[in-house]
Amino acid sequence: MKKQSLIFLATLWIALQGVAQSASDTVLQHGAHRIGKRSDAAMQHWRDSGFGQFIHWGVYAIAGGQWNGKNYTGAAEWIRSWKEMPNETYDSLYKQFNPTRFDAKQWAKQAKAMGAKYMIFTTKHHDGFCMWHSKYTDYTVANTPYQKDILRELIDAYTAEGIEVYLYFSIIDWSHPGYRANLVSDNDRQQYEIFKQFTRNQLVELLTNYPETKGLWFDGTWDKAWIAQAAWADSLGMELRNLHPGLIIGSRFRADETGKRHVDANGHLIDDYDQRFERNLPADLQETGGNDWECVMTIPENQWGYHHDWSWTYCKTPSELIKMMIQTRALDGNFVINFGPDGEGNIRKEEADIATAVGRWMSVNGVAVYGVHHSDLTKQDWGYATQNGNKIYLTVFNQPVNQLLRIQVPKSKSAEKIFVIRSAKLLANGQNLSVKGNAKRGSYYRDKFGYSYFDLILPAKIKHQSLPFVLEIELDEINVRDQDSYQQALT
Ligand code: JFZ
């Protein structure tokens, strides 16, 4: 009895500790408004899309990362901030903006052929130049020789191809007199109020005039001035969501009132998906915190806008990009490849070639990318698995030299059962592959941790592939007979 009450008291003490712990969470008005993933259809659609295209296009494309014969090695869309280039020169570039080669329909067709399900477009980058006809500033495409509303052309063309459009919007705006990165004086604070109103007006304008918009992709929100606007940004987000039901907003939009960005002071993701995996992938599911997330990837290193000269920078190959895409999908994220068209509206050959190669691969293997999620069949030396219902897709980057692909199957929850490979086929040609040995007769390999392995026999013709190949497999759970159980060596 005495012992029991002690146990009771100990249990109560532990339970109270737990309560105290969560009660010690910071009370936040403007942190995350939801714990865990969004469960509505719009968000599920985003998740299932899996693969998108980013386009960075603005007047920086005219400069193309060069000024006065010199090469700017920072990100080309940042060239205005380079000391070599006078601001006045940059701020006059729009007077030359006349992309006569721009063909929105052709871009959309190329994106479709690449397999992109959504596209994120830079409506306004840090320079403040608007690729739509904004009534709140003169610094827009309407006042260039081109005149036409580029955002409208793109939305129409991409929508016609069944590709959804998301709007990139920078809250840094070097063209607005009220913009500040930091607020130090009363005058700064007054000016910034004007800028906030302008920002809000532009966002409402975008959602009103472009109702096809699926989401807003914010940028530049690391400014101290912006971080200090937690309450205001929170109410702006709510206003935008009310105006546009289903709207998707990532974690790079607003800070909480303690100044924490992406995740709030209690560790919860702010808004709908994690935007921190920019040009950088999580190693495992744990690193994602179980949240929705997106990786946006450049082809060269950190060049988003058009740069005339790629010769000095390392560029990713289609197989590297596909590998990153599959790693992303296996860890429940979305993958986005960036394009930077030039000042005339051409998509450079290197990017077009990548779009073609990725698209060819996707036309055969897209089922391993769309509508899939993390698989219980975890990362292995040969590559990553993704899953859709009972179908598991093994994307093989590292091909074994002996043509036997060793698959570690997930552990069954029951000690009397094991998973076996019921069927396996090569997506490239539908060929069925057989399993070495006979699992039903206990012919499989099991390691000392209790994991079972089966060897798939690969056809000789898939040797020396330049791009990964995908196997679609299905598993069965069967009873293990006693005599099949793994024998540890007696030593
Ligand atoms: C920003 C922009 O400054 C850049 O020009 C480009 O538009 C890119 C998509 O976004 O750059 C960032 C933003 C965030 C990180 C790195 C670069 N980050 O979180 O590592």
Side-chain angles (χ1 to χ4, degrees):
M1 185 68 194
K2 211 177 166 196
K3 196 174 167 192
Q4 266 177 7
S5 50
L6 259 179
I7 291 171
F8 171 77
L9 281 177
T11 314
L12 184 69
W13 186 78
I14 290 165
L16 285 175
Q17 286 294 106
V19 173
Q21 234 169 48
S22 46
S24 76
D25 268 7
T26 314
V27 178
L28 294 172
Q29 302 296 317
H30 307 294
H33 296 309
R34 185 198 58 253
I35 296 177
K37 294 181 177 182
R38 246 171 80 169
S39 58
D40 58 296
M43 198 68 203
Q44 188 56 43
H45 189 79
W46 178 89
R47 221 170 264 138
D48 288 342
S49 300
F51 176 43
Q53 177 190 40
F54 210 149
I55 296 182
H56 271 71
W57 202 33
V59 293
Y60 41 79
I62 300 172
Q66 293 177 340
W67 164 245
N68 239 350
K70 283 184 226 111
N71 218 34
Y72 174 58
T73 55
E77 72 281 4
W78 276 79
I79 195 167
R80 187 183 185 278
S81 66
W82 187 28
K83 59 180 183 339
E84 301 275 351
M85 186 171 189
N87 283 350
E88 309 75 64
T89 307
Y90 187 93
D91 294 342
S92 302
L93 284 177
Y94 77 98
K95 295 179 188 155
Q96 308 167 40
F97 189 67
N98 193 16
T100 50
R101 304 287 307 271
F102 171 52
D103 181 349
K105 290 191 181 127
Q106 195 236 318
W107 288 14
K109 284 201 166 65
Q110 185 183 61
K112 170 95 177 186
M114 178 171 78
K117 297 284 187 195
Y118 64 99
M119 188 274 272
I120 310 163
F121 183 65
T122 49
T123 59
K124 180 175 92 164
H125 206 265
H126 308 333
D127 59 8
F129 181 74
C130 299
M131 297 294 268
W132 82 100
H133 289 179
S134 177
K135 68 177 181 194
Y136 298 105
T137 172
D138 291 334
Y139 196 38
T140 82
V141 68
N143 296 315
T144 67
Y146 186 73
Q147 294 183 345
K148 285 185 276 179
D149 185 333
I150 284 179
L151 179 58
R152 181 34 73 199
E153 289 188 71
L154 283 170
I155 290 182
D156 287 346
Y158 276 72
T159 304
E161 294 293 342
I163 301 174
E164 300 188 322
V165 179
Y166 287 73
L167 310 183
Y168 166 106
F169 185 93
S170 167
I171 65 87
I172 292 177
D173 185 333
W174 298 324
S175 77
H176 193 279
Y179 168 73
R180 301 284 188 282
N182 203 0
L183 307 176
V184 287
S185 66
D186 283 346
N187 181 52
D188 285 345
R189 277 180 276 276
Q190 277 163 21
Q191 289 299 312
Y192 204 65
E193 287 307 307
I194 301 171
F195 175 68
K196 279 159 63 182
Q197 194 56 39
F198 165 72
T199 300
R200 179 247 167 219
N201 289 344
Q202 285 204 318
L203 289 165
V204 170
E205 179 181 53
L206 282 169
L207 294 182
T208 309
N209 295 353
Y210 308 93
E212 301 90 339
T213 302
K214 296 295 172 209
L216 296 171
W217 204 101
F218 285 97
D219 197 15
T221 50
W222 50 78
D223 275 353
K224 281 203 180 105
W226 183 265
I227 292 171
Q229 312 303 320
W232 176 81
D234 192 12
S235 69
L236 173 60
M238 289 182 199
E239 181 186 6
L240 298 174
R241 289 181 192 277
N242 283 336
L243 185 67
H244 203 85
L247 188 71
I248 293 174
I249 299 177
S251 65
R252 201 190 287 177
F253 169 49
R254 60 183 178 93
D256 75 9
E257 60 264 49
T258 74
K260 286 274 287 167
R261 302 178 60 235
H262 299 283
V263 288
D264 69 17
N266 297 320
H268 303 307
L269 185 76
I270 300 175
D271 291 321
D272 303 330
Y273 64 93
D274 197 337
Q275 276 182 287
R276 282 175 299 178
F277 297 101
E278 177 172 309
R279 298 185 293 114
N280 154 23
L281 297 177
D284 51 31
L285 207 55
Q286 199 187 337
E287 205 184 322
T288 72
N291 294 311
D292 283 314
W293 61 279
E294 179 188 70
C295 169
V296 292
M297 187 57 69
T298 52
I299 293 168
E301 287 299 280
N302 197 31
Q303 292 289 335
W304 300 88
Y306 176 75
H307 199 299
H308 287 299
D309 183 11
W310 272 10
S311 63
W312 52 278
T313 172
Y314 174 82
C315 284
K316 289 158 201 102
T317 63
S319 100
E320 281 173 279
L321 291 165
I322 290 167
K323 184 171 180 183
M324 290 172 175
M325 168 161 62
I326 290 294
Q327 180 179 344
T328 300
R329 296 302 287 145
L331 298 175
D332 286 339
N334 280 2
F335 191 71
V336 175
I337 301 179
N338 180 71
F339 288 68
D342 72 14
E344 254 108 63
N346 301 298
I347 290 185
R348 71 196 310 147
K349 185 171 183 305
E350 296 95 322
E351 289 179 351
D353 289 349
I354 284 175
T356 304
V358 171
R360 231 179 251 146
W361 190 87
M362 289 293 279
S363 67
V364 175
N365 303 301
V367 287
V369 174
Y370 308 123
V372 296
H373 55 82
H374 178 75
S375 174
D376 288 338
L377 202 148
T378 52
K379 182 197 171 350
Q380 297 175 30
D381 289 343
W382 43 257
Y384 282 92
T386 51
Q387 187 164 349
N388 186 351
N390 294 330
K391 302 221 154 67
I392 300 177
Y393 300 97
L394 316 180
T395 304
V396 179
F397 305 106
N398 301 317
Q399 195 182 329
V401 289
N402 65 357
Q403 299 300 104
L404 292 177
L405 189 73
R406 180 152 293 187
I407 314 294
Q408 182 195 67
V409 293
K411 257 187 203 176
S412 169
K413 289 196 177 69
S414 150
E416 284 86 48
K417 294 183 173 194
I418 80 161
F419 282 106
V420 297
I421 297 179
R422 184 209 310 183
S423 64
K425 76 172 185 196
L426 184 61
L427 281 186
N429 62 6
Q431 185 183 341
N432 289 315
L433 306 187
S434 43
V435 180
K436 192 181 168 206
N438 186 333
K440 292 208 163 79
R441 290 211 308 264
S443 169
Y444 56 92
Y445 171 68
R446 179 174 266 200
D447 68 17
K448 64 179 178 179
F449 307 106
Y451 281 101
S452 307
Y453 298 78
F454 296 97
D455 290 343
L456 284 175
I457 304 169
L458 298 175
K461 62 173 162 292
I462 60 173
K463 250 181 189 167
H464 313 305
Q465 299 247 320
S466 63
L467 293 182
F469 60 86
V470 181
L471 306 178
E472 180 186 285
I473 69 168
E474 286 186 78
L475 302 179
D476 261 341
E477 204 174 6
I478 63 165
N479 289 316
V480 209
R481 298 178 314 184
D482 281 350
Q483 69 266 34
D484 295 341
S485 57
Y486 182 77
Q487 299 282 308
Q488 289 287 355
L490 302 170
T491 58

